[in-house]
Amino acid sequence: MLPEHSPFSPDQRRSIESLIASFSPAQRFWLGGYLSAGEAVPAAAAPATAVKLTILYGTESGNSEKLADLSAKEAKKHGFQATVKNMSDIAPADLAKIENLLVIISTWGDGDPPETATSFYKALMGQTLALPKLHFSVCALGDTSYERFCQTGKDIDARLASFGATRVSPRQDCDVDYEENHRTWLEAALAALRALAPSAQAPVVAGGSVSAAPANAAYGKKNPFGGELLERVLLNGKGTSKETWHYEISLDGSGLVYEPGDALAVIPVNAPDMVQGILKASKLSGSEDVSLNGEGSKPLSDALRENFDITALSRPVLTKLQALTKSKKLAALLGEDAKDKFKDYLWGRWIADAIADYAPKGLSAADLVSIFRKLPPRLYSIASSPLAHPGEVHLTVASVRYDAHGVSRKGVASTYLADLVNKGDKVAVYNHQNKNFRLPASSDVPVIMVGPGTGVAPFRAFVEHRGALGQGGKSWLFFGDQRYTYDFLYQVEWQEHLKSGALSKLDVAFSRDQPEKVYVQNRMLERSKELYAWLQDGAHFYVCGDAARMANDVHEALISVVATEGGKSREAAEAYVEDLKKTKRYQRDVY
């Protein structure tokens, strides 16, 4: 029956109700919602025969976890009983109990598995399973600027197939702008699984397609907030070889909230000299109009400045360039037998260099923009507590500048902030949650923080937060940089925190102040007895900063401390550290 207050005449009501009577119960349920003159449609309960679906994710910065949660919501709308699992909470052998599986996995660094998924990945690669009943599909997240793009996802996809599992939908490899590709993959994967299990089919909801993103925050990746730059302070002293800035950005009016451990996404623009370099190499003026998806047309120079990654040279970029130019030399460089030469060519070069080398006659405006990917946001660890600085967010950013092939180079986002944004200007930002880098729930739990250089940023937030809350848990910071005189970031603040008790202990390592190099891992080994005692007392151990060397060296030092002070073998010490990871007492934010 139509509701009494529906806007139809009696004759219209009788005709509509007669038509509705011919529909199935499910059709009547859904259609009734649309004819109820604005009444809310009740949520559909999962059918009694709902097919179970496991959504397995591995994440470093939280993107895969967000997509897993979104995928589960969409799967439930389509009649599945969906469960989300972190790879850190499952063993490969458990896959034998699963019939329907969606995998969403990111890469860390150059194709490596993310921190929380490392154990699962190694076990999956190192054992043989029989999974003839498993139906699966993989969505891999990566960054095309790395040679081993989406390698972890590719490995898992191939490994599952080798175990006899059935791939119901092709693997989707996603670049840093992943939302649309994920949506396309999810629609195809859910459709394939529904075809295998017709009982899971549910009435099509309005629109009939997967949502682009959860409708929660007003400001996000697709709609960043313009935060005013309130303050900028150069943290290094005269005589330094570094350029590290402290930035304070207003969040007033944004509704954005963050926790210590989160990152702030900054959406930069390309510098004028970068744009001019591309135009010169392409032999274009910049006044040419180009068409952009979702934006119509705009002048090429504006598009190069605002929309595209015009610097990062990668295999996908060179592959597209070769297809346009038909260059035999570039084809040879992209060959399987030229991997070392290809790697050497990428180092220190930008896209403009490749255009000059392999498209000496230039490119048309349309061809030029076809080789680029979208300009990705940059994530920076937040260096402030919202309790200590209400309505603000602080960053600690090192400006990237270097020389390569006789040309001065620079980082896009770091020098955008340093060179192009002045106090009072607006910066496009949004919050990026990092649930895998959080203070302990209990205020009494000790924390050990290792953060050399800009890696100290989140620990400034940690110490401020605990200080603002008046929490009594012990805290120990290991900080390092090049020189005490020039590079002791936030020195006065740390001294004040030591006096107030917000920081219990501080150890520093300045590598260039003595003939032999001294790093934070050396200080850890020197304090090994006390450090192990803190761990035995339940301390959480955090590392932030350089992934290439520092994080591995600190990891090795931690294993050594446990082995030495705990009287354990190397194998037992590794198991101890692995248990710290599994219980979330060892967390890393490395880049």
Side-chain angles (χ1 to χ4, degrees):
M1 298 290 290
L2 292 176
E4 292 294 332
H5 61 270
S6 60
F8 302 108
S9 69
D11 288 342
Q12 289 174 321
R13 286 168 58 87
R14 282 191 291 272
S15 296
I16 294 172
E17 287 171 355
S18 176
L19 178 63
I20 292 174
S22 67
F23 293 164
S24 69
Q27 288 173 320
R28 288 198 298 270
F29 174 81
W30 286 99
L31 185 60
Y34 294 114
L35 296 177
S36 62
E39 285 191 347
V41 180
T49 55
V51 173
K52 292 182 179 180
L53 170 65
T54 299
I55 301 173
L56 185 63
Y57 73 88
T59 190
E60 186 71 30
S61 63
N63 289 331
S64 293
E65 183 178 8
K66 290 178 182 178
L67 292 182
D69 290 339
L70 172 61
S71 299
K73 291 178 182 177
E74 295 298 335
K76 290 174 182 176
K77 291 179 183 178
H78 289 79
F80 290 94
Q81 183 181 335
T83 302
V84 176
K85 289 185 177 294
N86 191 329
M87 284 184 182
S88 63
D89 299 326
I90 191 173
D94 295 330
L95 298 178
K97 307 171 188 175
I98 298 172
E99 292 188 9
N100 300 297
L101 176 70
L102 297 181
V103 179
I104 303 176
I105 178 70
S106 65
T107 51
W108 172 72
D110 191 10
D112 295 324
E115 182 79 16
T116 57
T118 300
S119 295
F120 176 89
Y121 173 82
K122 288 182 177 179
L124 186 71
M125 294 299 118
Q127 59 188 252
T128 300
L129 300 171
L131 302 174
K133 296 181 179 180
L134 181 66
H135 302 95
F136 77 95
S137 186
V138 175
C139 180
L141 273 61
D143 184 334
T144 52
S145 65
Y146 288 97
E147 177 68 9
R148 299 177 71 242
F149 171 61
C150 285
Q151 190 61 49
T152 301
K154 293 174 181 177
D155 291 345
I156 291 176
D157 180 68
R159 195 65 171 165
L160 292 177
S162 74
F163 293 154
T166 301
R167 184 187 296 108
V168 298
S169 186
R171 185 189 74 248
Q172 176 68 60
D173 296 337
C174 304
D175 199 0
V176 290
D177 194 51
Y178 51 77
E179 288 88 353
E180 184 174 344
N181 283 336
H182 165 262
R183 184 167 63 252
T184 301
W185 166 80
L186 183 58
E187 289 176 342
L190 290 179
L193 291 172
R194 281 202 309 273
L196 293 172
S199 61
Q201 291 185 2
V204 178
V205 295
S209 61
V210 174
S211 302
N216 43 21
Y219 292 104
K221 186 175 183 180
K222 298 298 183 182
N223 180 34
F225 174 71
E228 180 184 347
L229 180 64
L230 302 173
E231 189 60 80
R232 49 182 287 171
V233 178
L234 185 62
L235 296 176
N236 304 103
K238 291 182 179 180
T240 184
S241 62
K242 295 194 167 188
E243 180 189 331
T244 310
W245 290 91
H246 170 83
Y247 298 101
E248 300 180 1
I249 299 172
S250 173
L251 296 180
D252 281 348
S254 69
L256 292 174
V257 294
Y258 66 89
E259 295 182 48
D262 284 347
L264 188 75
V266 174
I267 300 180
V269 297
N270 290 304
D273 58 326
M274 293 176 172
V275 173
Q276 287 303 312
I278 284 285
L279 291 174
K280 181 179 179 181
S282 304
K283 296 180 169 48
L284 296 167
S285 69
S287 62
E288 301 85 353
D289 284 338
V290 291
S291 296
L292 304 176
N293 289 335
E295 288 192 39
S297 64
K298 65 193 305 185
L300 174 61
S301 58
D302 291 345
L304 294 177
R305 179 176 179 270
E306 301 166 357
N307 296 87
F308 297 115
D309 181 349
I310 62 174
T311 58
L313 197 56
S314 64
R315 183 174 290 275
V317 168
L318 288 175
T319 299
K320 293 175 184 177
L321 183 62
Q322 198 281 326
L324 291 171
T325 63
K326 309 302 181 186
S327 167
K328 293 181 179 179
K329 288 185 178 180
L330 183 50
L333 184 66
L334 290 165
E336 284 296 313
D337 58 346
K339 288 186 176 181
D340 289 340
K341 290 182 179 179
F342 176 80
K343 187 176 181 180
D344 289 341
Y345 182 80
L346 287 187
W347 185 86
R349 286 186 171 88
W350 285 353
I351 295 175
D353 300 308
I355 294 173
D357 289 342
Y358 299 110
K361 295 182 180 179
L363 296 170
S364 71
D367 284 346
L368 175 63
V369 298
S370 73
I371 70 175
F372 300 130
R373 65 174 183 173
K374 290 183 180 179
L375 182 62
R378 301 320 200 255
L379 300 181
Y380 294 108
S381 299
I382 292 176
S384 57
S385 162
L387 300 181
H389 307 281
E392 297 180 8
V393 62
H394 298 179
L395 301 178
T396 309
V397 181
S399 300
V400 177
R401 305 184 197 274
Y402 59 100
D403 292 326
H405 308 290
V407 180
S408 295
R409 314 284 187 176
K410 58 187 177 183
V412 174
S414 64
T415 59
Y416 157 70
L417 290 171
D419 301 343
L420 302 179
V421 181
N422 298 310
K423 287 177 62 174
D425 291 347
K426 298 294 181 65
V427 182
V429 299
Y430 62 92
N431 182 49
H432 184 94
Q433 283 189 333
N434 187 356
K435 296 179 182 178
N436 297 310
F437 203 74
R438 287 283 188 260
L439 279 165
S442 172
S443 62
D444 296 325
V445 175
V447 295
I448 302 167
M449 305 164 286
V450 183
T454 57
V456 80
F459 304 134
R460 181 177 185 263
F462 279 19
V463 173
E464 284 186 345
H465 204 70
R466 279 194 153 187
L469 289 171
Q471 295 180 341
K474 296 189 298 181
S475 56
W476 185 354
L477 173 65
F478 288 88
F479 172 75
D481 215 310
Q482 290 188 351
R483 298 188 183 279
Y484 174 91
T485 305
Y486 312 136
D487 306 315
F488 196 164
L489 309 184
Y490 302 113
Q491 177 183 4
V492 174
E493 291 187 14
W494 300 129
Q495 292 170 340
E496 291 175 348
H497 288 312
L498 286 169
K499 290 179 182 178
S500 71
L503 182 63
S504 309
K505 190 175 178 64
L506 173 66
D507 277 290
V508 297
F510 293 98
S511 61
R512 308 293 174 86
D513 279 348
Q514 59 284 310
E516 70 284 0
K517 299 289 179 64
V518 177
Y519 300 106
V520 287
Q521 61 267 24
N522 302 117
R523 296 296 185 226
M524 286 173 56
L525 295 172
E526 292 170 2
R527 310 287 189 267
S528 63
K529 185 174 182 178
E530 187 175 2
L531 198 157
Y532 184 69
W534 278 50
L535 292 175
Q536 290 293 90
D537 195 34
H540 286 215
F541 187 84
Y542 300 89
V543 182
C544 182
D546 170 57
R549 294 187 58 182
M550 182 278 296
N552 290 330
D553 291 342
V554 167
H555 182 79
E556 285 299 313
L558 181 61
I559 293 173
S560 180
V561 166
V562 172
T564 301
E565 302 302 334
K568 302 178 186 294
S569 66
R570 167 79 187 199
E571 184 178 16
E574 288 179 344
Y576 181 101
V577 171
E578 186 62 29
D579 186 65
L580 292 179
K581 287 185 180 180
K582 289 182 178 179
T583 56
K584 299 189 183 301
R585 288 180 54 203
Y586 177 13
Q587 299 180 34
R588 306 202 306 179
D589 179 12
V590 295
Y591 39 84

